Structures are given as structure tokens and as C-alpha cells.
Amino acid sequence: MNTENTAKPRKGILVCLSSSTSNARVIHAAADLAAAFRGSLTALFVETPAYALLSEDDKKRLRSNMNLAEKLGARLETVIGDDVPYQIAEYARVSDVSCIVIGQTNTVSRLFRRRKPLTDRLVAYAPDLDYFIIPDHGTRVYVARNPSRFDRRQAMLDSLLFLTSLAGCTLIGFLFSHLGFTDANIIMVYLLGLLIVSIGAANRVFGMVWAVLSVLLFDLLFTTPRFSFYSYETGYPVTFIVMLAAASIISTLAIRLKQNAGQSAKSARRMSVVLETDRQLSKAKTTEEIFFVLASQLTKLLKRSLVIYPAQGDELGDPVFYPAAEDTVPYRTNDEKPAAEWAFRHRRRAGAATDVFPTADYLYYSLRVQERVYGVVGTAVHGSPPDASELSVLASVVGECSLALENARNAREKEESMLLAENERLRANLLRAVSHDLRTPLTSILGNADNLLYRGEALDPRTRKQLYEDIYADAQWLTGMVENLLSASRVSEGKLSLKMSTELMDDMITEGIQHLGRRLDSHILERRKAETLLFVKADARLMVQVIINLVDNAIKYTPSGSRICIETAEEGENVAVRIGDDGPGIPEEEKTHIFDLFYTGGNPAGDNRRGLGIGLALCESILKGHGGSIRVKDNVPKGTLFEFTLPKEEVNLNE
Amino acid sequence: MNKPLILIVEDDAPIRNLISVTMDAHAYRHITAADASAGILQAATHNPDVLLLDLGLPDLDGVEVIRKIRSWSSMPIIVISARSDDADKIDALDAGADDYLTKPFSVEELLARLRVTLRRLNQFPQDGQESSVFTNGELKIDYLAGCAFLGGEELHLTPIEYRLLCLLSRNCGRVLTHKYITQQVWGTAWENNVASLRVFMATLRKKLEAGQKSSSCIQTHVGIGYRMVKLDP
């Protein structure tokens, strides 16, 4: 059997928590079992309505049991419900638990029925689990005692309801009796009154008192002989007994109804908070946003101040304090930090209401997924430790946030590695292209300079001039290339390195044309400016580079004397710039490729200087980075037309 | 008048040589320095007409050199920088430089910048003594009357346009950064003011270009600022 168990991946072991003193023994046994099976341990506490009535000692014992379970490596869970075995079985069913460790508690005999032991009922609900029952004699299970808190106002209201109902029913009884209705009708009226009182009053005592009183009143007022407790008819004692039984059942049912309603409201609220947290977390992308969701949800839910220490590498960062509305106690970082540090280092709870740094004012949870800790969250205790349901909400929200932090981190890492891979690919391509294509102009410059230096006298002036011109042209080509490579490196660094400012489109075109200088002398340039001032938000240096590249292409790929036209126009929400020429144009099949990186085209003139094929690709990525686009078309009547658009920017004047 | 004296502070020998040869070829007198301390000394002893200053010097950052020289002299400084980042140029201009050149630069460009700067010297032969009337090509500004004329016709300018025109004309030949101009005109250098500045500048230039065939005397330096150039009379 052992071998069979170890063959299973992981055995889920569930231990049930209670406030009993022997519960510690049960927890230890469960922990040993979990260690033996190398299984995961979950400690479950079922919060019943009776929890609120527990004494302080019991609550304290329960907390210490919870701490113990956590110390032994258990995951703490709390469920809310009335039927303990049903809740345990349900939890076991949904959470992959295969084995339950439970203390065998003494059963409590009640007035009307004797309950089966908890374990028996548990087995009935979930027959296919393994059970380990630890004998637990001589201890009490917690039973509901009289509520320690007596609410005077509530009692007054209940008494008022009770008395008016009783008076009303009796009056109606007299009316019925006067009209000659049968006694059964009067009894029905009292039963109705019982229902009202049982549902309306908070304390079940009222229902019971009603039952007794109504029977006595009925006997006194409506049975013959009147005004005596003696009854001639033999059937009446049966009526009394039935009435009493009905009263007892109705008041029990009514009270349970109220408790269930309260519990479902509580768990619905918890559920909705957890769902809301989930929803907000799914929207949060950065660590800061997740921390903010955590803080806002928890302060809203627990009405306690919150403090978050984000992890910074292996250290705990500075705390961020989120005070609750009514909390005026300032956060004392120096006194509190050791507890937070401990929670961070040991990845467990610490601070108030735990055994570690119990003097701290806050209760600290580490935000962790397995071994990785993302920070520590502390919630204000101020002497009133959170109860089991608060703890459970806290634990589940903290767990959700830890998962969200883990997801955010994974997404970030994935993005970074993808970016890195993409950058690496670009870099490799760039290096290849650079080493291959920059050699040509460098060879030409070196060779020409060498000739001029050592054999210059032997050359005739015309040849010499030709060599000088070649050096000049090659150097200029290299200059342009260096500018493009610099721009490319800035674009590939991502959006952050763009220096956006509001610029006048025509100014940037003018600047670009100035850069081209003499190269434009061989062509005829025409400008068509828009009537209005067209502003765009752009990185001016990069946008000028786009214009240089486009105009430079127009110069390069058209014969001298060709006409180049630069036009700016407003198109709806965009600013359009068109750079057209009347050269030979671009074949249709090449148009789809010219924006590809390192595409240099099937350049027909073999002696033409080849580009690196980064100019147009760079233009496209610069424009995309600015939220714009670029297209190539045929110019009318002939030639090529490059058109790019950028979102228009409105400027509010400061006068 | 004497030939202007140019001080070249540049640590890279080939570039220094290139500038020297260019100066020789165009009949400018020149002296050179290879680092900041020598440059400051030369500037103090020879009081050159124009300083050509490389920003990346071995012993001291060029911007610091500008601050030091500005503490005693208003000699025109043209910065030469291999840094492509606009921020460096803007720092240098805000520290008191008059103009900038980015490496690689062409010889023509260098000469053009030098001519612009020297024309400015001729415009204001004596420091600190401003005349009440400024003329530049077709443009005439009467500071005392508070109005500007283009080819004899009065220009209808908004108050801000007029202030911009005055600011540029008083610093004719100098490149003024966006930050400097917005601080002078609005008192702050908010991004929104810089955007407004572009609008006012564009409308001002339109008005100045209205009567002329050529472009106006105001140059735009995209990403840096504006400059009024002295037009040939």
C-alpha cells in the first residue's frame, strides 16, 4: 500500500481545526502523516454560527492551533457553514484532498434527537476518502452557550413585538369567539403569532415563551370553563401538546433560517470581494498596480490600516502605508520592521496574533508563491485580532495577489526575453550588413586617398579631381549611414527613448532639406505647404531622419534633373506628408518588400551604390513608434510617391 | 579693419588641422589649443573674435569652459560636438554658446556659421551699447516706439509676437533655445509654452515672409530653438 501511495504524485491531507486543547495533537499527527506521505497539508476551520459565541479563551486556543498548523507547513483555509461534516466533505471534494485527519469528539445529546458522531456523518457525506481518527476524550466541542453579549435595545424591540403580537392575537381570539368561530380558528391565530414572533425576534426564548403563554391564555380565556386552567373537553391537552411542539419546531427553524441568511450574506460578501479582487488584479499589469489593488481591497474589506513592504531583490523595501478611514494610529516603521523582516525571511506569518513578534501592532503575511517572496503585507491589529473569517479573506486575497505578482513577473520576463531575442536577431543582421556593405565605401576611400597621397603627382588634374570627388561622395554616404544606424539603435531601444515634443511639420521638412544640402542641386525641388499650421507630436531628430531618407531615396533613384515634390496636407485627424518624384517608379512586386529590413531590391544598375536596406525599414518603424504609417504608391503621371501620416496635434495657446 | 582672430580649442589633431587649414584658406587668423586649460588661457591672453570649442575635451567638459569664459567675456562661441544628442547642444547654448556644429560637418557649413557670427559682431561693434533702432534687411524695429516695419510698412504683430521679435533681434546671430525663449517671454518653460512658442513663431515668420520673395531672417533649429540671422545688406 505504501508503494502505491508513493507512486501517486502528491497526497492531499486535510486536518480539521478546532478550539479544543487536544486539537494540537491532531495537527501534529496530520503533519507527521503529511511528512510520511510527502503530501500537502491543509488545515481547515469550519466557522459555524456558534463561533461568535466562543469565549475569548477558546478563540485564543483556536488561533494558537492555527499558528501551530501553519508552522508545521499547513495551508490555512476557512469555510463558513452550519453543517460541519458537510462543509469538510465539500471542501475535500473540490480541493483534491484524499485523506482527512480528525479528532473524535464527544457528541452532544440534544433534547429531541441524538446526533450521530461527526466522523460518522462525515463518512456518510464522503465515503471514498481515507480517514485518520485521533481519539480525543475528555474535551469539549464548542457548543453554543448563552450569548455573552446582551443587546438591551434588541431585547426591548423583541419584547415590544412579543407583547403587541400577544395582545393582537388575544383580541382577534375574542372577536372570533364572539362571532362564534370554532376554537381551532383561534389556535391558528396563535400559531400565526408564534411564526411572527419567532421570525421577528432575535432570541429563540421569545418563541418558547410564546408557546407556553399562548397555550395557557387559550386555556384560560377560550376553553370552558372560562377563566380557569381546567378544561372539560378531553381533547384539549392534546391541543396544548401539539401547540408546544409546533412552537418549538417553528422557533428552531426560524432561528436557523436567520442564521443561514446571515451566513450566506457573509460568504456572499466574501465571495464578491474575492471576485472583485480577481477582476481588478486581471487588469493590473505592474507590481505597483497589484499592490494598489491589494491595499484598496483589504482596507475596504477589513476596515483596518494596511502596510505593504515591496521586495527589492533580496531586501525588503520601504513600507507604503495605506491608512483606513477611521484609523488614526500612525505606523511606527522602526518598531514594526523586524516582524515584517521575519515574515519576509521565513515566508510565514508574523507579528500580532502570532507567536513571532506578538508585541507588534500589525499582522504580517508574506506575499509569496512557493519560494519566491514578492513582499510583505501587514494589517493593523490594534489589540483586536482578526477573526477566522477575516483571516481567511486576508489569506485568500493575499494568495490571489501573490499569484498576480508571479504572473506579472513571468509576463515581464517573457517580454524581456522576447525583446532580447529580437534585439539579438537585429543586432546580428545589422552586424552582418554593416561588415559587408560598409567595406565597399571604406575600400574606395582608402584606395583613393592612398593614390592621391603617394602617386598624386603622376595623375592628371582631371583624374585627381575625380578621386577627390569619390572620396567626398563615399564619406557622405558613410555619414548618412552612421546617422541611420544611430537612429535605428534608438528606435530599437523602444518607445522610452523617443523624445516627443510638439513640432511644426513644415519646420522638420525644412530641416531635413537643409541636411541634404548640395545633394539636392542635381534635382528640382518643389514645396507645397498646407494653408494651416500642422503640428505633430514627434521625436524631431527621428522625423527629420525619415524626411532625409525619403528625399535621399528620391534623389538616388531618379536621374538628375528630375522633379521632387514635398507636400503637406491635413487629412481628418492626421497630417499627411507626400514625397513624390517623376522618375522611373517602383515595380509592383517590389512595393510589398521595400519596407522589409535589409531588403535592397533587385537593383538593375549593378554599379550603383547599394544601401544597407535599413533606410525605409527605419522610416516605417519610426512612424509606427509615433502612431503613424507609411505607404508607397505610383505618382501621377509617373514616378513614385511615398506618403506618410501622423496623428495631428492640437496646440492650446498660452498668451 | 583687422582680420578676425579665431581660437580653435579641439583635442583631436586631424580635426584641429582641418579647421586650421580651412581658416588659412579663407584668410582668417587663428590660434589653437588642444585642451580646456590651454584654451581658457589663450582666450584670456589673446581675446579672440570667435571661439570654436569642442565639447569633449580631455581635462574639462566644454560646457564648463563656456561658463568660465562667460564669466568675463561675451566673445562669440561656436560649439563643435560629436554628440548627436540635442540635450548636449541645448546645455551648451543655455550655458552661453552662440551656435553649434555637429560632427561630421562640412567645411562650407563651418564657414557659413562663422560668417553669421562675424556679421553679428559687425552689427554690435561695442558690447552693451544698443541702439534704439534695429535693422536687418527689410526689417526695421523701433524699440522706443514699440513697433516693427517690413519694407516701410508697419507690421501688425500681437504682443507676444513683438516680444519674440525683439528677443531674437537683440540676440541676432545667436541660437536661442526653446527653454531660454519661453523663460524670457512667459517666465516658465512648460511643455505647453514650447508648443505655443512654435505657433507664435510660425505666425511671426509668415508675417515676416509676406512681402519678401526669400525666406525670413528667422531660422528654425528643430529640437533646439530659433535664431535670427543677419541678412546681407
Side-chain angles (χ1 to χ4, degrees), chain A residues 66-116:
Chain A
M66 281 180 167
N67 286 338
L68 172 72
E70 194 174 35
K71 211 184 285 175
L72 293 173
R75 197 154 57 91
L76 286 184
E77 291 290 344
T78 302
V79 291
I80 296 179
D82 186 21
D83 191 349
V84 177
Y86 176 74
Q87 294 296 348
I88 296 173
E90 270 302 290
Y91 183 85
R93 195 173 58 77
V94 297
S95 57
D96 236 12
V97 164
S98 59
C99 174
I100 293 181
V101 183
I102 193 165
Q104 171 76 281
T105 51
N106 292 343
T107 51
V108 190
S109 51
R110 300 210 174 164
L111 197 57
F112 294 107
R113 61 201 160 118
R114 193 182 160 75
R115 275 203 173 182
K116 281 198 212 160

Side-chain angles (χ1 to χ4, degrees), chain A residues 170-181:
Chain A
T170 312
L171 275 177
I172 295 170
F174 274 124
L175 183 69
F176 280 14
S177 146
H178 183 72
L179 291 173
F181 287 7

Side-chain angles (χ1 to χ4, degrees), chain A residues 404-420:
Chain A
L405 286 166
E406 170 103 337
N407 286 342
R409 182 196 153 99
N410 286 347
R412 210 163 46 234
E413 272 178 358
K414 194 174 161 200
E415 204 170 290
E416 271 165 17
S417 66
M418 266 172 66
L419 203 69
L420 211 67

Side-chain angles (χ1 to χ4, degrees), chain A residues 499 502-503 531 540-541 654, chain B residues 86 186 193 196 198 206 222:
Chain A
K499 291 199 194 74
T502 308
E503 300 283 349
E531 275 305 301
R541 210 49 41 234
N654 275 9
Chain B
D86 286 342
W186 282 276
N193 285 338
S196 299
R198 288 179 172 72
K206 251 190 182 159
V222 172

Side-chain angles (χ1 to χ4, degrees), chain A residues 592-636:
Chain A
T592 49
H593 295 295
I594 55 169
F595 293 111
D596 294 350
L597 192 56
F598 308 121
Y599 179 82
T600 47
N603 209 332
D607 56 343
N608 256 4
R609 169 78 62 239
R610 291 206 313 140
L612 284 184
I614 67 169
L616 285 175
L618 181 66
C619 289
E620 196 187 29
S621 52
I622 289 174
L623 285 163
K624 271 186 182 162
H626 284 76
S629 60
I630 184 165
R631 282 166 297 281
V632 59
K633 295 176 186 168
D634 287 328
N635 204 359
V636 182

Side-chain angles (χ1 to χ4, degrees), chain B:
Chain B
M1 194 188 138
N2 268 341
K3 284 176 183 171
L5 177 66
I6 317 286
L7 169 60
I8 305 158
V9 183
E10 162 69 77
D11 62 324
D12 187 60
I15 303 279
R16 200 166 60 232
N17 200 34
L18 167 73
I19 300 174
S20 301
V21 169
T22 310
M23 295 298 110
D24 279 340
H26 291 82
Y28 291 112
R29 290 186 300 135
H30 63 85
I31 43 177
T32 59
D35 56 39
S37 43
I40 292 170
L41 192 68
Q42 297 268 42
T45 47
H46 291 94
N47 196 20
D49 293 301
V50 177
L51 168 61
L52 294 176
L53 175 70
D54 182 30
L55 278 186
L57 293 171
D59 50 345
L60 191 65
D61 192 81
V63 176
E64 284 306 312
V65 177
I66 297 172
R67 291 213 177 91
K68 286 203 164 145
I69 288 176
R70 275 288 169 263
S71 65
W72 87 83
S73 165
S74 62
M75 69 174 74
I77 300 175
I78 300 176
V79 156
I80 299 172
S81 167
R83 305 173 198 175
S84 57
D85 211 346
D86 286 342
D88 297 314
K89 295 171 202 156
I90 290 170
D91 280 350
L93 290 170
D94 279 335
D98 292 73
D99 199 358
Y100 64 90
L101 265 175
T102 310
K103 289 180 194 170
F105 55 85
S106 67
V107 170
E108 300 157 60
E109 206 178 340
L110 171 66
L111 290 170
R113 302 288 175 114
L114 208 55
R115 278 198 298 273
V116 166
T117 309
L118 288 170
R119 268 209 297 273
R120 182 193 150 212
L121 282 181
N122 297 335
Q123 170 76 20
F124 301 114
Q126 279 113 10
D127 278 323
Q129 196 182 321
E130 285 181 17
S131 63
S132 68
V133 175
F134 170 88
T135 47
N136 187 10
E138 296 272 276
L139 177 71
K140 188 175 133 205
I141 307 171
D142 188 339
Y143 294 127
L144 286 178
C147 42
F149 302 89
L150 189 71
E153 297 261 326
E154 188 175 350
L155 279 168
H156 296 286
L157 302 175
T158 66
I160 287 197
E161 284 168 355
Y162 180 72
R163 273 156 84 185
L164 283 173
L165 188 63
C166 289
L167 188 66
L168 286 166
S169 62
R170 287 208 160 99
N171 293 285
C172 187
R174 276 191 68 190
V175 177
L176 303 179
T177 62
H178 295 137
K179 190 175 133 199
Y180 178 79
I181 299 174
T182 47
Q183 265 170 355
Q184 293 294 313
V185 176
W186 282 276
T188 54
W190 294 334
E191 172 64 21
N192 189 28
N193 285 338
V194 178
S196 299
L197 171 63
R198 288 179 172 72
V199 179
F200 286 119
M201 224 37 146
T203 54
L204 176 61
R205 283 176 61 173
K206 251 190 182 159
K207 286 178 186 174
L208 291 179
E209 276 169 36
Q212 291 172 309
K213 278 162 254 102
S214 62
S215 62
S216 83
C217 53
I218 298 173
Q219 282 182 346
T220 306
H221 292 246
V222 172
I224 309 250
Y226 296 91
R227 163 162 68 177
M228 180 180 282
V229 285
K230 184 86 181 104
L231 298 174
D232 289 320

Side-chain angles (χ1 to χ4, degrees), chain A residues 502-503 533-537 573 575 647-651:
Chain A
T502 308
E503 300 283 349
L533 298 172
L534 295 178
F535 286 92
V536 291
K537 208 160 190 76
E573 290 301 296
V575 173
K648 195 172 70 185
E649 181 79 6
E650 296 293 340
V651 172

Side-chain angles (χ1 to χ4, degrees), chain A residues 216-241:
Chain A
L216 288 178
L217 269 176
F218 178 69
D219 193 1
L220 190 70
L221 301 176
F222 301 111
T223 57
T224 36
R226 289 207 166 182
F227 309 114
S228 89
F229 291 111
Y230 185 76
S231 172
Y232 295 143
E233 258 188 71
T234 48
Y236 280 121
V238 181
T239 317
F240 303 151
I241 291 165

